[in-house]
Amino acid sequence: MINQFNPSSHIIQISTNQGKKDYLPVQWRLVWFRQECPLGTIETDMLHLDFDRECEHEISIWNDEKRRYEKVIKRAKGIAIFKATVSDGKGGKATGTKQENNAAFADFIEKAETGAIGRALAGLGFNAQYAPEFDTGDERLADAPINRSQAPQQERKPAYDNDGPATQQQLQTVKKLRTLLSMPQDDLDGLNFGDVATLISELSKRLQEQKKQAVS
């Protein structure tokens, strides 16, 4: 018999703008989700990737002279946006989007994907109570999975229109990725936002594979 997952056993404390808050890491939300929803699915899509976008993020560094931490602004190039869609296999479904940048995280692409999954899981109740990044003040969010045998969960509205036109930043990202991959700059006329997002995701995976092969 499989023991029932207890989220309270995996809660950690993190600092937020509102002070210390309880937080259930995404990996434990995934464990919980897989136990409760063995037929559930998780899909992710890269909506945007820009290696040339200038970003900044406030960080704390130790000042030896003053013997204390000080706030400084770190600057770097690179931004990524992911969307995750989670279905519980029982009719429930939710989406989440997350943006991360290279100034905040060196592995910003992976962080954006993980964050999107975490938000989508929180949308299904895994676990909104311990997900400060999903704090909307809406008390209707479930603290734990509930019986969803009949009515499907209301799907959160995506932040981007996949059927809308591709953005200039998307087109520039495709051009940059193709240059890094030594690929021809094919015409993108007729492709919408979703089409180009899928293309960026595929090109990004190729580039990551290329980098791994170069290291090995």
Side-chain angles (χ1 to χ4, degrees), residues 23-134:
Y23 179 75
L24 181 64
V26 175
Q27 64 265 35
W28 290 114
R29 293 182 220 175
L30 283 168
V31 171
W32 189 3
F33 173 73
R34 289 304 181 194
Q35 186 179 98
E36 293 286 339
C37 308
L39 299 180
T41 60
I42 298 175
E43 298 178 359
T44 61
D45 295 295
M46 180 183 287
L47 301 181
H48 183 66
L49 177 64
D50 187 348
F51 289 112
D52 296 321
R53 174 78 173 272
E54 290 278 359
C55 301
E56 60 181 38
H57 182 74
E58 187 179 74
I59 61 173
S60 296
I61 63 171
W62 179 256
N63 187 315
D64 281 328
E65 183 178 342
K66 297 180 180 179
R67 306 298 298 171
R68 68 184 184 189
Y69 282 98
E70 293 184 333
K71 299 288 187 180
V72 298
I73 300 297
K74 179 183 176 182
R75 294 179 174 82
K77 290 184 178 182
I79 188 171
I81 304 173
F82 267 85
K83 181 180 85 168
T85 302
V86 178
S87 300
D88 63 9
K90 309 170 188 178
K93 188 175 182 180
T95 64
T97 58
K98 190 70 170 74
Q99 171 181 299
E100 291 293 358
N101 65 71
N102 197 22
F105 300 103
D107 56 344
F108 66 99
I109 297 176
E110 293 83 358
K111 290 289 186 182
E113 183 175 30
T114 300
I117 293 172
R119 289 187 172 191
L121 288 171
L124 282 179
F126 299 92
N127 182 7
Q129 180 183 2
Y130 301 121
E133 79 276 21
F134 194 63

Side-chain angles (χ1 to χ4, degrees), residues 108-180:
F108 66 99
I109 297 176
E110 293 83 358
K111 290 289 186 182
E113 183 175 30
T114 300
I117 293 172
R119 289 187 172 191
L121 288 171
L124 282 179
F126 299 92
N127 182 7
Q129 180 183 2
Y130 301 121
E133 79 276 21
F134 194 63
D135 186 3
T136 61
D138 189 346
E139 296 180 357
R140 293 172 297 171
L141 289 172
D143 291 338
I146 57 175
N147 190 343
R148 307 179 182 90
S149 56
Q150 268 84 39
Q153 291 276 328
Q154 182 179 1
E155 185 175 354
R156 292 180 63 207
K157 198 172 186 179
Y160 298 91
D161 181 9
N162 284 334
D163 295 324
T167 67
Q168 190 61 36
Q169 285 188 329
Q170 279 187 309
L171 300 179
Q172 291 174 354
T173 298
V174 170
K175 183 177 180 180
K176 176 73 172 181
L177 287 169
R178 283 176 169 171
T179 298
L180 292 172

